[in-house]
Amino acid sequence: MITNGKKYEGPGGNPYIPMLATVTKLYSETPNIKSLHVVLDDKEQMKHVSFEPGQVAQLSLFGSGESTFVINSSPLAKEHLQFTIMKTGEVSGAFHDLSEGAKIGLRGPLGNWFPYQHMEGKNIVLIAGGLGLAPLRPFMFYLLANRHKYKNIQLIYGARSPGDLCYSQDWTIWREHDSKVKITLTIDRDVPGWEYKVGFVPTIVKEEAPSAENTIAVTCGPPIMIKFVLQELEKLGFAPEQIYTTLERRMKCGLGLCGRCNIGPKYVCIDGPVFSLAELKALPNEL
Amino acid sequence: MPKAIMQDKLNDWLDSIASKYQLWAPQDKDGACLLSPYTPGAPVNLKCRPQLSAKKALFPQTECLLKYQYHKDKSKPEETELSISAANPNQKTVIWGIAPCDVSGISFFENVFIGAGYQDTYFKTRRSNTLIAAIACQHAESTCFCEAVGGSPVSAPDADLLLTRIDHEYVVEALTNEGATLIDEGLFTTVEEAKLNAMQQVKEAALSKLSKPFELGSLPSVADKFLKAFESPYWKEATAACLSCGICTFVCPTCYCFNITDEAQGMHGQRLRCWDACMFSTYTLEASGHNPRNIKFQRYRNRLSHKFSYLITNNNVLGCTGCGRCIKECPVGIDLRSIISHILAE
Ligand code: SF4
Ligand code: SF4
Ligand code: FES
């Protein structure tokens, strides 16, 4: 059963065995990114679904294989779990080709999550590029549902072009939430009709210059973007303890057993995917 | 009290075990000494150390994790049903005639696969259905260094039986009650005081044969030294000749990295787990093309740091039993004893 912060037990106590589930909805976010809604076949289990923002699951397409995806629906919603998949390889391609009603397997939730309790009473800056908004989406839902516990919230979100921005139906609502929730959108190169920022995400971070004072920054996206965002944040006075990110590694078991996803003694699959920059700095440099 | 069995009765004993258990025993096959499934009457070889470790008996090179089946009802073609069933490898098994370093390898797997973290159901099922009969090792090779990593060639506390060869006879000590049930009274004789003394002498002689290439020190200090040596230029130098062939991981009793893949046959298929190796460049290759361990020295460094640092940090266990197989089998002669010595001294 899926329960908060506990280990994934798996049917019969075997964590390699997925729960059976059905894809109830499938739609395109961008030309090569699709989101899917997944419902566990066991109705009781679905009723008690619970995960934390940032946690992942392994989705199985039997015959093609398993892949890790962040659960990006709201942690407060119980109707379905949402995943967003970019077409990059064989397994992700097979997921794109599914139709509604398809049977899949799900192991999860797995991994750690954003330590939102430690962030209470603080300003939050979320910085995402492309599909990097996926792990931040459930977090944003959580923050807005617990709005009174947090101060100013800013999301800086960028993609190559307007058509590459994911979750437009969400951020159009988020920016209306209240005067202290700010959504800053950017695209790499200007196109006619675009009315927001133009420039790479790190440049916009520099321009927006969020204050490091009593603030936590969380950044997710392509590694190269993260690298430069971290540099900007450090220039703005953010300490490594004030910065969080999610890591992606090639994964298989998701259980800390197959040995694939380690960075030094830490396994991204069980000790991550969420790490503070302070934690990363203490690890061998092998990103 | 220990019992004794004559060499020429071994096959009778093994035949009787094999009638109740799946039995693994060291045998000469295809020009090599291998731990293989025993067939009644087959000659066994207790004077060799099998080329591959005993891990394969509990962690097969390829195994089925689950089977799946899609069902289609022709009257409702738009609906597909799916069922899956987990493999349950619960066959009663005896691993017979393995050296103490290979028993340590199995204990190591217990620590990692059924320790504090997620439990590996398949290994756990196999292990809980398996008895181990070890043999005090009197055939140390020049590459062996079990004592230097905390082992002993003549004791195997995690085994169920311990055999010691004295000329043409084997003294068999039961270390567990379950182990004792394997001793077939009719084939064994009681052991006199003199034989016990002889057994002691044999063990002492075996111990004196071993070399100790380095002084390890406490486990936390080893972990620390390897972590501190992460950026050392020595890794590049030491692994310049490495071919990334993965043989060292294949023969190692503690290398446990694996891959999981699906094998489809139309509407049904299975999910398989196979040995994999961190020495292969594709092991950590990401879909984006990024590879955190793209260069061979990074992979070798990870392999050794895992064994001599990360496992100590996470599981308080050393990932090396001193069997020396990686030294013996490496095609370019990379000797981890000298690498360990170097890192410890750096
Ligand atoms: S690393 Fe080499 S010596 Fe150590 S257990 Fe593995 S094969 Fe044996
Ligand atoms: S056996 Fe030797 S050459 Fe092959 S991967 Fe290991 S260290 Fe490299
Ligand atoms: S995915 Fe297997 S150890 Fe992390």
Side-chain angles (χ1 to χ4, degrees), chain B residues 241-249 279 300 303 326 329-332 334:
Chain B
C242 173
L243 308 169
S244 297
C245 68
I247 287 176
C248 48
T249 68
M279 298 302 278
Y300 193 89
R303 175 163 182 269
C326 59
E329 305 295 343
C330 174
V332 298
I334 291 180

Side-chain angles (χ1 to χ4, degrees), chain A residues 7-8 14-16 20 60 62-63 65-66 249-250 252 255 257-260 262 264-265 267 284 286-287, chain B residues 68 82 116-118 120-122 256-260 262 271 273 276 282-283 285 290 292-293 302 306 310 314:
Chain A
K7 284 189 197 156
Y8 172 63
N14 181 343
Y16 289 97
L20 297 185
S60 280
F62 297 97
E66 246 182 342
R249 281 253 152 158
R250 185 150 179 225
K252 279 289 170 183
L255 309 172
L257 295 175
C258 78
R260 194 168 303 261
N262 77 302
Y267 289 96
E286 206 174 55
L287 294 180
Chain B
Y68 70 87
L82 168 66
Y118 274 106
D120 189 282
T121 314
Y122 305 91
Y256 62 87
C257 291
F258 59 84
N259 195 5
I260 300 176
D262 281 12
R271 179 157 293 168
R273 147 155 88 186
D276 203 343
T282 50
Y283 185 64
L285 182 64
H290 175 65
R293 291 194 282 267
N302 180 67
H306 186 208
Y310 311 154
N314 292 334

Side-chain angles (χ1 to χ4, degrees), chain A residues 158-222:
Chain A
R160 222 171 331 165
S161 72
D164 291 310
L165 292 164
C166 296
Y167 313 120
S168 53
Q169 75 283 13
D170 298 316
W171 42 258
T172 42
I173 296 172
W174 294 342
R175 67 178 161 206
E176 307 298 331
H177 194 275
D178 63 75
S179 63
K180 289 186 170 166
V181 175
K182 185 177 176 191
I183 309 290
T184 310
L185 300 172
T186 182
I187 53 171
D188 291 355
R189 239 167 276 116
D190 204 5
V191 292
W194 176 253
E195 42 189 303
Y196 310 104
K197 305 252 175 203
V198 175
F200 294 123
V201 171
T203 317
I204 305 304
V205 172
K206 187 178 181 175
E207 218 177 278
E208 287 290 302
S211 159
E213 173 87 36
N214 195 32
T215 305
I216 297 286
V218 185
T219 179
C220 303

Side-chain angles (χ1 to χ4, degrees), chain B residues 20 31 45 61 100-101 129 132 143 155 180 209 244 258 270 280 290 294 305:
Chain B
K20 296 179 218 99
N45 183 353
Q61 202 182 335
C101 60
N129 285 293
I132 299 171
T143 44
S155 76
K209 267 201 240 166
S244 297
F258 59 84
Q270 51 183 344
F280 298 145
H290 175 65
N294 201 20
S305 302

